[in-house]
Amino acid sequence: EPEVTQTPSHQVTQMGQEVILRCVPISNHLYFYWYRQILGQKVEFLVSFYNNEISEKSEIFDDQFSVERPDGSNFTLKIRSTKLEDSAMYFCASSDPGGRGYTFGSGTRLTVV
Amino acid sequence: AQSVTQLDSQVPVFEEAPVELRCNYSSSVSVYLFWYVQYPNQGLQLLLKYLSGSTLVKGINGFEAEFNKSQTSFHLRKPSVHISDTAEYFCAVSKISGGYNKLIFGAGTRLAVHP
């Protein structure tokens, strides 16, 4: 079964540093998403991306966040200057049109120290 | 906008007993409904989803859920649980559209299965 692949699985970074989280969505999916889960809390929507532009972003997705599809396969989330409160599990997901086939990656655990 | 309420934050149950995890949603438009399971330190695994058709949906690991439109509920059930079912369970909803669909998650229910 097709998978969404995320790298790295774990990342530790110092406060103020930039991080890039990477995702390879399912190849025939057109819609891409990032979600965040702070430890012990619910999963929260960050941003959706279609046709090389953001479709919707949440209030969490402020100016320190950006997303990009640099080539035909990768989808990245960049956090420009990390804060302690950015420590969380970040999930990438992709879906086919209409959202009937919605698949999550296994996540990247980001720890900001 | 959509919202999801999972009525129980924790559900303790003995092995081989039945279990029901409750989920209610709010939406002014038609929705898709999902249940995901998250084992400790792991990602989100889809248990089952309701898109259309029969209101009783069967998923993996012996779980099933029933969509009740009048009560705006999508409760998850399993007739006999195992120790290995111990995990966090999330209910999620998305509006039906031809485009992107963000998922709105509930706060989760921690299922603890005891021997």
Side-chain angles (χ1 to χ4, degrees):
Chain A
E1 189 169 331
E3 291 184 344
V4 173
T5 305
Q6 289 188 244
T7 55
S9 56
H10 294 90
Q11 180 148 4
V12 180
T13 188
Q14 291 203 330
M15 192 169 52
Q17 295 296 305
E18 174 184 285
V19 295
I20 298 177
L21 309 183
R22 303 179 191 281
C23 169
V24 178
I26 292 175
S27 60
N28 63 345
H29 283 182
L30 301 179
Y31 299 90
F32 313 116
Y33 313 83
W34 284 100
Y35 290 80
R36 180 182 81 174
Q37 184 183 33
I38 294 173
L39 186 63
Q41 297 186 24
K42 69 176 179 180
V43 180
E44 301 172 291
F45 169 78
L46 288 178
V47 64
S48 59
F49 191 85
Y50 168 70
N51 200 26
N52 283 321
E53 61 184 28
I54 291 174
S55 310
E56 183 178 350
K57 59 184 180 180
S58 72
E59 57 191 27
I60 302 168
F61 194 89
D62 60 23
D63 291 343
Q64 70 162 341
F65 291 94
S66 62
V67 289
E68 192 178 33
R69 190 157 162 82
D71 53 41
S73 60
N74 289 286
F75 178 51
T76 62
L77 174 69
K78 182 192 290 187
I79 309 175
R80 233 176 304 277
S81 177
T82 50
K83 305 171 190 167
L84 294 176
E85 54 264 37
D86 293 327
S87 295
M89 183 76 95
Y90 289 82
F91 292 107
C92 174
S94 66
S95 72
D96 57 5
R100 297 173 72 89
Y102 209 109
T103 305
F104 281 85
S106 55
T108 293
R109 182 169 296 283
L110 176 67
T111 302
V112 182
V113 297
Chain B
Q2 293 76 46
S3 67
V4 177
T5 302
Q6 290 186 243
L7 296 158
D8 306 295
S9 59
Q10 296 186 60
V11 173
V13 64
F14 287 109
E15 194 174 18
E16 298 184 5
V19 71
E20 178 179 81
L21 306 184
R22 297 181 292 169
C23 172
N24 285 90
Y25 69 93
S26 173
S27 177
S28 58
V29 299
S30 297
V31 295
Y32 296 143
L33 293 153
F34 305 80
W35 274 100
Y36 286 87
V37 60
Q38 185 178 36
Y39 298 101
N41 298 313
Q42 293 191 27
L44 297 166
Q45 182 180 10
L46 180 67
L47 275 177
L48 47 79
K49 59 186 176 184
Y50 173 77
L51 304 178
S52 64
S54 172
T55 57
L56 183 62
V57 180
K58 294 192 183 297
I60 63 171
N61 301 341
F63 284 93
E64 64 180 33
E66 185 152 22
F67 170 55
N68 187 319
K69 189 174 183 179
S70 63
Q71 296 188 8
T72 60
S73 68
F74 190 54
H75 300 334
L76 181 71
R77 301 185 184 103
K78 186 169 182 178
S80 175
V81 294
H82 301 128
I83 296 286
S84 59
D85 292 322
T86 294
E88 189 89 19
Y89 292 79
F90 292 97
C91 181
V93 62
S94 74
K95 65 178 182 180
I96 297 173
S97 77
Y100 78 94
N101 289 304
K102 70 179 183 184
L103 292 185
I104 305 298
F105 284 83
T109 297
R110 183 168 299 277
L111 176 64
V113 181
H114 302 285

